[in-house]
Amino acid sequence: MLRKGSEAVKGDREVLLDLECRSTDQTSDGYGSLQRSGFIPSRVLLSASDHADSLEDECQQKSASTMEKCFRDGRTKIDFVLVWEVRSQRKRRGRGRQEDGNATPGEKKSRSEYRKEKLARWREKFVQNLQLSGLLMEKEETANEKKTIHFLKLSAPWSVLVYYAEELCLRAPLQAQPNLDLNTSARVLSKLCIPNIMTESVPNRPLDYYTCAFRKSKINRFLGSEDQETYFTNTQRQRIVYEILSKTVYGKRKRAEVGMDRLIKEGAFTAAFPLHEGQFKLPKYGVRSDELNQRQVLHHFWARWCKWYKYQPLDHIREYFGEKIAFYFAWLGFYTAWLLPAAIVGTMVFVSGVLSMGSNTPAEEICHSNSTYQMCPLCNTCKAWNMSEICTMAKLGYLFDHPGTVLFSVFMSFWAVTFLEYWKRKMATLAHHWDCMDFHEEEERPRPEFAATAPMMEPNPVTGVKEPYFPKRTRIARMFTGSMVIIMMLCVVMIFLVTVVICRGIISVMMFHTGNPILRTEATTIANIAGSIVNLGLILLLGRVYTALAEQLTKWEMHRTQTQYDNAFIFKVFIFQFVNFYSSPFYVAFFKGRFVGYPTNYGTLFGMRNEDCGPGGCLIELAQQLFIIMVGKQLINNVQEFIIPKIKAWQQKRSIAKVLGKKSDQPCQWEEDYQLVVYEGLFEEYLEMVLQFGFITIFVAAFPLAPLFALLNNWVEIRLDAHKFICEYRRPVAERAQNIGVWFNILEALSHVSVIANAFLIAFTSDFLPRLLYQIKFDNDLHGYVNFSLAYAPLNFTENPMCRYKAFRDNDGNFTLFYWELLAVRLGFIIAFEHVVFFVVRAIDWIVPDVPESLELKMKRERYLAKQALAENQEALLARRSRGANASSPGSSSAASDASFGITS
C-alpha cells in the first residue's frame, strides 16, 4: 500500500515514490512490493545518489542486442509504462503568497488547482489498486525547471499471468508442428520447380503449435510451462496488463470511474504503452541474424524499401503487434497479390487498344470526313463545327471503348467476387494458425466517454453489475437525427457536384470563344480536367469536415461499447465517402449526355444547356476523372503518410528534449518510446484501401489501367505503413481478432455494386452494343456507322439548318426504330450479365469451401489433442461426481468438479 505523509496535500513527487523523502523502514510498502508477499527488490534500498548513478549507468550502457527491457534488477520484465507530466510551480507566485499572508488553510483555490488535486488523488488511488492487483512497479523521473515527466514501469508476476491467462482464455501450446507455407504462389512455384525470388528466410520465426484453452490445473501438460520467464509471450503479457489497467478502479465504481483509458481522457496520465523491443536499427558491430530483437527483424526484413518484392513475415508481425494489425497487413498483402493478374490483364487490354487503334473504322471515317459532317453548335452562342476536328479524340476514345475493355469489365466482375471467396479461405487459415478462430470478444466494458457522460446506472443483463446506462429510445432518436445530418451533408455533396458541372460548362464555353483552333477542339477535355482537379480538392475538403462531424455525431449517439461505436462511425463515414468520391464518376458514367435534348428542344440547367459527352465519348471523360481522383488521392495520401508522422514525431521530440537535457543523446527505452507518435488505429488505412477497391471494380470498364496504379500504390503503402508501425509509432497494445471485421461486409457490398455498375456501363455508356447491333443488321466492318449514328436537326432549326448531332432520331426529333431495338438489347444484356455473373459467384461459393479441407483435418487433430490433455483423472472425476450425486449435500459435486479443474473462488 502507498503511505501518505503528514502533509495535507502532497505533490506527485511525494505521493508516487520519492525515494529521497522516504526512510528505509518504509520501503516494504513502496512500489515493487507484491501484496501479501515478501518480494522487496534491492533497488528500493539504494540511496538517492546511488539511484541516480545506477539509472545513468543503465541508460548509457544499454546494449543494442538486448532482447527485453527490464527493471533495474535486470530480471523483471517491463510489460507496460504509464506516463504523466507535472508542471513545476512558480517560485515567485508561492513567495508572494507567503509574504502577503494569504496562504491560509481556508483560502479559496482556483478551479484548475482543484482539478490538479483531483487528478492527483485519482492517480494515487489507481496506482494503489494496481498494486493490490499484484502488479510490480518501478518509477523513474526526468525533470527540468518547468516540468517533471514521471514514468511508472509495470510488470506482471507469474501468479498474475497464470490467473488472467485462464480468465482471458489464452491459448496454451500442446504439441509443436512444422510451420506451414501460407503463400499459395510459393507452393505453386515450388511444384513447378521455378526459383522464387519473393521468398526469404526470416530469423526467429515463431513456432506453430496445436493449442487449447489455458487451464491452470493442467499447466504441466503444456509445452514450455517449466520456464516461467518465457512461457508467456510479450504480447500476451501486455494484453494481460492492459486488461488489469482497463478494469482497475480509480474513483467511485458507481460513477464508472474505472480504467486507464478514461484516466488518459481526463488528463491524469498523458500516455500508457508497452515498450518496443529495443532499437530498430542494426548494431554497428557484427551480429548474427538470430540475435536480432523482434523490432530489428521486422525493420530489416519487412519495413525497408528494398524488400518491396518479398513476402511479408506475417507470423513475426502477429507476434509483435497482435492479430488485429496482422490481419490488416495480411489482407493488404493478399489484395496486392491479387491485383497483379488484374493489372497484367488490364495493361494487356490497354496495349491491345493502342495496337488496334488503326483498325477503328468509325475513327478513320471521322478523320477523313473533312467538312462532310457539319455539327450543330455546342452552346447557344457557339458556331457550327466540322466533325473532322475531333479526329485525335476519336482515336483516343477507342483506347477506353473497344471490345477488350468490355471483356475486361466482365473479367474484373469475376475477379472481385473470387478474390473475396479466396480471402475467406485465407482468413480462416490465418485465424486458426494464430489461435483466434474460436475467439469471441468477451462482454465488452463501456467506453470511457460513455461511462463519463451516461445519465443513469442500470444492472448489466449479463453480469448483473450496475454500470452506466443510456435509454435505448433516446439513442434511436439521436441516431435518426444524425441520419438527417448525413442526408444534409450528402445534399451538400450534390450541390458541389452541380457547381463543378456548371464550372465545366463555363470553362468549355470560354475555351470555345477564344477562337484558337486547338483550344476550341480540346475545350471539353480542358474543362473536364480542370473540373476534376477542382472536384478532387472539394472531395478531400468535405471528407475532412465530415469525418470530424461524424465523430461528434457518433459520440452524441452514446454507443455503449467500443465495437458499437466503431461500427456506427465506419458506417457513417463510408456512406458519405462513397457518395463523396463516386458521385462525380457516377454522373459522368450514367447521367452526362442523357438529358441534352436536340436542336429546338435542348434541356437546360440554370439557363445553361445540359452537358453532353465530349468528342471521344463519355468513357474517355470517365477515365480522366478516375485517373485524377484515384491517382491524385493516392499521391496526396502517401505524401501525408510520409510527412505528417515525421512532423508529429519532431514536435514530440522537441518538447521532450527540453526536459531530457543532456540525456537526449542516449535516452532510455521508455523515454524514446514516449517521443514517438501515438497509434490512432487502422480506420484511415482500411478506408483508403476500400475506396480504392471500389474504383478498380465499379468503373474498371472505362479505365483498364486502374488495377496497375492500385498495385503500384499498394507496394508503396505496405512499406510506408510498415515503417510507421516499426519506427514512428508507439507500440500498440496487441489486440485479438479473427477477421477484418465490418470491412469485409463493405467489400462484399462493393463487389455486388460493381457487377451492376459494369453491366449498365457497358449497356448504356459504351458504344459496344450500338456498334454490335449495327454490325449484325447492316455492315460487319462498321462502314457508314458514323453517318448512321448522326441525326439531322429538325427543319424548324433555322440557325444552322441541316446540321448534325449524335442521336438515333428522325428529322422531327423522334426516336427511330433502331433506338428501341437497341434499348431492348441493352436491357437484355444487363439482365443476362447480372444473372451469369451472380450464378458463377454462387457456384464459386459452393465449390470453394470457406474452410480448406486440410485446415478442417488440422482442427480435428487439435481438438483431439486438447481433449486428451484436459482429460486427466477422468475416472476419478466421474467417481467423485457419482459420490457427490449420492451424498446428502447437493453442492458437494459441484465443489469437487470445480476443485478438479483448479477453480477457486
Side-chain angles (χ1 to χ4, degrees), residues 370-635:
N370 296 325
S371 58
T372 303
Y373 306 116
Q374 187 183 34
M375 306 300 292
C376 296
L378 296 175
C379 64
N380 296 332
T381 59
C382 301
K383 297 179 181 179
W385 53 285
N386 291 321
M387 197 173 192
S388 58
E389 297 176 4
I390 64 168
C391 172
T392 303
M393 294 304 299
K395 290 183 176 180
L396 290 176
Y398 183 74
L399 295 176
F400 305 96
D401 190 5
H402 61 91
T405 59
V406 175
L407 295 177
F408 183 58
S409 64
V410 176
F411 167 80
M412 287 303 295
S413 296
F414 289 121
W415 175 90
V417 294
T418 308
F419 157 71
L420 293 178
E421 287 299 322
Y422 276 90
W423 166 246
K424 283 195 285 189
R425 290 168 58 89
K426 177 79 170 182
M427 191 163 54
T429 302
L430 289 175
H432 181 267
H433 179 59
W434 291 339
D435 298 322
C436 54
M437 175 164 277
D438 297 327
F439 164 70
H440 297 287
E441 292 187 22
E442 62 175 5
E443 177 64 21
E444 285 191 83
R445 62 186 65 86
R447 294 185 307 116
E449 297 89 343
F450 177 84
T453 57
M456 61 185 72
M457 303 287 291
E458 292 288 340
N460 185 302
V462 177
T463 63
V465 178
K466 278 196 172 185
E467 63 178 33
Y469 176 77
F470 191 79
K472 187 175 181 180
R473 291 185 60 183
T474 308
R475 180 183 294 114
I476 293 175
R478 290 190 177 188
M479 292 175 67
F480 179 77
T481 305
S483 64
M484 295 299 102
V485 176
I486 296 175
I487 293 174
M488 288 176 58
M489 288 299 298
L490 296 181
C491 292
V492 171
V493 174
M494 295 296 106
I495 291 172
F496 277 108
L497 177 61
V498 173
T499 304
V500 172
V501 170
I502 295 175
C503 178
R504 278 204 300 258
I506 294 173
I507 294 174
S508 182
V509 172
M510 290 173 60
M511 293 295 103
F512 199 85
H513 278 291
T514 57
N516 188 309
I518 297 177
L519 293 179
R520 187 174 66 179
T521 304
E522 306 296 337
T524 305
T525 304
I526 296 173
N528 189 49
I529 293 175
S532 299
I533 295 174
V534 172
N535 191 33
L536 175 60
L538 292 174
I539 285 171
L540 297 177
L541 176 63
L542 287 174
R544 291 288 182 185
V545 172
Y546 181 76
T547 301
L549 178 62
E551 186 175 2
Q552 296 303 318
L553 283 175
T554 312
K555 288 180 180 178
W556 182 61
E557 291 172 357
M558 294 293 290
H559 294 280
R560 176 182 170 273
T561 66
Q562 190 63 41
T563 300
Q564 294 170 349
Y565 175 89
D566 291 341
N567 291 343
F569 179 66
I570 289 171
F571 176 77
K572 286 185 182 66
V573 175
F574 177 75
I575 290 295
F576 177 82
Q577 294 288 42
F578 181 89
V579 177
N580 191 27
F581 275 93
Y582 301 147
S583 58
S584 184
F586 262 101
Y587 164 75
V588 174
F590 303 116
F591 298 100
K592 188 175 182 180
R594 303 285 182 265
F595 310 101
V596 177
Y598 56 92
T600 69
N601 190 26
Y602 284 116
T604 59
L605 178 65
F606 300 119
M608 294 182 61
R609 187 188 298 181
N610 290 337
E611 274 193 311
D612 197 359
C613 293
C618 278
L619 282 185
I620 191 171
E621 292 189 27
L622 181 57
Q624 292 169 352
Q625 286 249 352
L626 293 175
F627 177 81
I628 292 173
I629 295 176
M630 175 184 164
V631 179
K633 177 182 178 296
Q634 290 178 349
L635 289 175

Side-chain angles (χ1 to χ4, degrees), residues 68 70 74-77 158 161 224-234 237:
E68 58 190 13
C70 303
R75 297 185 303 273
T76 308
K77 288 185 178 181
W158 175 253
L161 293 173
S225 59
E226 65 279 356
D227 188 353
Q228 297 183 0
E229 294 296 324
T230 60
Y231 179 74
F232 292 103
T233 65
N234 289 339
R237 296 175 66 97

Side-chain angles (χ1 to χ4, degrees), residues 714-786:
N714 289 6
W715 274 334
V716 175
E717 182 74 21
I718 290 175
R719 304 306 152 185
L720 272 178
D721 289 346
H723 186 269
K724 284 191 306 183
F725 276 92
I726 294 296
C727 306
E728 295 171 353
Y729 281 169
R730 292 175 190 164
R731 187 174 183 178
V733 179
E735 296 182 65
R736 300 196 73 192
Q738 58 183 162
N739 49 45
I740 60 174
V742 71
W743 295 107
F744 182 79
N745 300 329
I746 294 175
L747 290 170
E748 278 193 318
L750 284 177
S751 67
H752 288 83
V753 170
S754 70
V755 174
I756 299 172
N758 279 302
F760 276 89
L761 202 63
I762 296 170
F764 286 95
T765 308
S766 170
D767 275 343
F768 172 72
L769 292 182
R771 291 177 181 179
L772 181 63
L773 185 59
Y774 182 86
Q775 287 176 312
I776 295 173
K777 293 191 65 175
F778 300 105
D779 189 280
N780 190 50
D781 295 326
L782 290 176
H783 292 296
Y785 175 76
V786 174

